[in-house]
Amino acid sequence: MQPDETITVEDAVQVLAMVGDLSMGLPPDHSIRTARLAARLAEENGDGADACTSTRLVALLRWSGSTATAAGFAHLLGDDVRGRHAMVTRTLSGHSGLTFANVLPLAQMQCEVAGDIAVLLGLPGDVENSLRHLFGSHHRGDMQDLLFAPNIPRAVFYVRLAGDLEVLAPAHGTTGALRLIGERAGVKYPVTLVQRLSPHAQDWLDMLEEPSCAADYPGHDRRVPLAVVADVIELKLPWLTGYSRRVAALARRSASLAGMLALEESPLVRAALLHGIGKVAVPNAVWERPGKLDAADWDQVRKVPFWTARAGAQIPALQGEATLASFIYERLDGSGYFRKARAGSVGMQERLLGAAAAYISLCSARPWRPAHGAAAASTLMTAQAAAGRFDRHAVEAVLAAARGTAPSAPMRDRLLSERELEVLRHITHGETSREAARAMRISPASVRMHVDNIFQKLEAGSRPAATLKALARGLI
């Protein structure tokens, strides 16, 4: 891992908070506001500084596993983004098919992935433990006193309550939010905790408009792989698995061939790993549409780079790279989005990044088309450059880098057998056991046996969790 492929723990938490918010159809600062409320609630309840810090981190990562459940909620609700927004704001109607039985497995998967994210970021064990319990089942009568529920971290209840207040108040008003919260007192959170919140609710909500202080906790500035952010984003659409990593690798090799300095190359790699942030705000149904997108679909797709740029505005340490990433779909003839920028407004870094992403995309299978071979992709890219959409020199550098010898692979992790790795590659790209069996010419039962072994070795309970861990270990 190169030094330019890292990010501080705090910045990673912040960007993953925004990714989670957008994935849930919530305002991009929802988790930040919830974190402030939750920490205030912990303080009001007498918890110490360390517990308040952990509560804040749990609140920020509350929705971090939501990309992993996008496909499941798309199946249940049709629109995984608007549907989940309606679900958490309690404005969902007409969905009799939404039951505890079919939502609970998704909630458990979301908890598993969020807990795994905490491990990948090296966060304290109490943060991981809280995230793994955040969306568990609730039983009336077990949360009536200040001791809360046994075996469930206190931060879980602070975050549940603070999150509900923050998300319900805009939809129902503070009084309406407290009424709805009261209906779940003793079920979702302790009665006594609700009683402590109620007198302060409006004042604390008003306080959220004030500037927040910078985070300062042990390890907040430790460096972690920036690829973690890309990997979490791409859990939303399994066929995207590893896409941003491949764009980053090609952009690095292309920049070198184009004669760029290291100072110019580094932002390219970082931008490539960040550019997918805005994708989570678009429903899965749009991304997987088999035919042409209609005007309404395109309106949503064109906002993808806008949300990526917005991440830079919210997280100053990433502003330069996020702005660069937001140019990835611009084209020199003004036909791109979201700015419709023309050649004069698009620098060489932006041109190279756009060409690298387009080439990798052409060479990757999508729900609406198979992958193009290298020759076909090169022909298409050359034609697009001739038509004035891509920069000719950028395309030449990208194609030369793609033709060149790929960097030698690091020594492979021997955790999985070759056959298990083959199965893993199929299932992490969204194939069913039957589809993987057909491609590998083995029985579905054999695939399921290998999947069970893979899960056991990776200590994963779901495909998204296995994907995230496999990417982190360099298995795929």
Side-chain angles (χ1 to χ4, degrees):
M1 181 175 60
Q2 303 279 353
D4 57 11
E5 294 177 13
T6 64
I7 186 174
T8 68
V9 167
E10 175 62 17
D11 287 337
V13 168
Q14 292 274 342
V15 71
L16 287 170
M18 183 175 181
V19 165
D21 291 345
L22 292 177
S23 185
M24 295 293 295
L26 297 167
D29 62 346
H30 162 72
S31 290
I32 291 175
R33 293 164 63 88
T34 296
R36 296 182 68 188
L37 280 172
R40 190 69 179 264
L41 188 55
E43 183 181 13
E44 178 72 16
N45 200 52
D47 284 21
D50 289 347
C52 291
T53 294
S54 292
T55 296
R56 172 186 175 274
L57 290 169
V58 173
L60 287 171
L61 293 175
R62 180 190 188 199
W63 301 120
S64 61
S66 60
T67 52
T69 58
F73 279 107
H75 175 72
L76 293 176
L77 302 172
D79 185 326
D80 56 292
V81 179
R82 291 190 182 91
R84 287 192 285 187
H85 175 270
M87 191 170 65
V88 298
T89 57
R90 303 199 209 173
T91 57
L92 186 66
S93 61
H95 281 278
S96 57
L98 200 65
T99 66
F100 179 79
N102 57 30
V103 170
L104 181 59
L106 295 175
Q108 292 170 333
M109 183 189 300
Q110 193 156 312
C111 285
E112 179 186 17
V113 171
D116 289 345
I117 289 169
V119 173
L120 289 173
L121 297 180
L123 295 176
D126 59 338
V127 175
E128 176 201 347
N129 192 31
S130 296
L131 289 167
R132 294 194 188 281
H133 284 88
L134 205 50
F135 300 110
S137 60
H138 318 308
H139 302 284
R140 182 170 293 280
D142 67 353
M143 289 178 274
Q144 300 296 325
D145 57 36
L146 290 177
L147 294 177
F148 296 168
N151 304 320
I152 299 181
R154 297 162 76 95
V156 167
F157 302 115
Y158 299 141
V159 173
R160 285 180 184 172
L161 183 51
D164 279 2
L165 176 62
E166 205 289 322
V167 80
L168 292 172
H172 304 277
T174 305
T175 301
L178 290 174
R179 175 180 55 79
L180 291 170
I181 285 170
E183 292 174 0
R184 296 193 177 182
V187 180
K188 191 175 182 180
Y189 12 69
V191 173
T192 49
L193 196 59
V194 174
Q195 292 171 343
R196 292 201 171 188
L197 168 73
S198 297
H200 305 288
Q202 189 59 61
D203 289 342
W204 287 0
L205 287 169
D206 292 341
M207 172 268 300
L208 297 179
E209 304 306 321
E210 301 171 3
S212 58
C213 298
D216 183 15
Y217 52 89
H220 75 280
D221 55 354
R222 181 169 43 80
R223 310 295 293 189
V224 293
L226 182 54
V228 170
V229 173
D231 296 342
V232 171
I233 290 168
E234 290 169 358
L235 293 177
K236 176 178 169 68
L237 298 158
W239 43 266
L240 270 181
T241 300
Y243 169 69
S244 294
R245 287 175 177 257
R246 294 193 296 275
V247 174
L250 182 59
R252 184 187 295 280
R253 300 198 303 272
S254 303
S256 177
L257 291 174
M260 285 188 173
L261 301 174
L263 288 175
E264 299 172 292
E265 176 185 306
S266 175
L268 267 177
V269 174
R270 297 173 64 80
L273 292 170
L274 288 170
H275 85 273
I277 291 172
K279 290 178 181 175
V280 302
V282 179
N284 276 23
V286 173
W287 292 123
E288 299 185 337
R289 192 89 69 210
K292 290 185 176 181
L293 301 184
D294 60 24
D297 291 339
W298 270 114
D299 282 344
Q300 296 190 74
V301 171
R302 289 190 184 99
K303 291 177 183 175
V304 167
F306 164 80
W307 287 118
T308 302
R310 177 73 178 271
Q314 185 167 300
I315 308 164
L318 301 178
Q319 186 166 9
E321 296 94 330
T323 300
L324 174 56
S326 71
F327 275 83
I328 200 165
Y329 303 114
E330 301 291 352
R331 299 296 179 254
L332 303 187
D333 61 356
S335 62
Y337 54 91
F338 66 104
R339 299 176 182 85
K340 292 190 176 295
R342 290 184 172 272
S345 304
V346 183
M348 191 58 190
Q349 285 179 311
E350 291 85 351
R351 297 177 186 209
L352 198 63
L353 182 62
Y359 179 83
I360 293 294
S361 180
L362 286 171
C363 293
S364 306
R366 296 291 182 254
W368 57 90
R369 62 159 175 79
H372 292 278
S378 296
T379 299
L380 287 169
M381 291 295 297
T382 301
Q384 292 284 307
R389 297 195 78 215
F390 290 104
D391 180 88
R392 179 173 60 84
H393 296 294
V395 168
E396 289 174 352
V398 165
L399 296 183
R403 287 192 301 267
T405 303
S408 57
M411 185 174 294
R412 186 173 73 76
D413 188 321
R414 296 293 177 182
L415 178 68
L416 303 181
S417 69
E418 292 297 336
R419 179 61 97 180
E420 288 168 344
L421 283 171
E422 187 179 2
V423 170
L424 181 65
R425 283 190 286 270
H426 283 283
I427 67 168
T428 55
H429 282 85
E431 293 183 20
T432 65
S433 295
R434 188 173 296 277
E435 290 168 337
R438 188 181 304 116
M440 296 173 64
R441 298 184 178 182
I442 60 177
S443 70
S446 294
V447 171
R448 288 191 291 271
M449 178 192 69
H450 287 306
V451 169
D452 288 343
N453 290 338
I454 291 167
F455 281 13
Q456 184 177 8
K457 290 180 178 180
L458 288 174
E459 297 182 354
S462 63
R463 293 192 182 198
T467 299
L468 193 61
K469 289 181 173 181
L471 286 164
R473 295 184 70 133
L475 294 171
I476 54 175

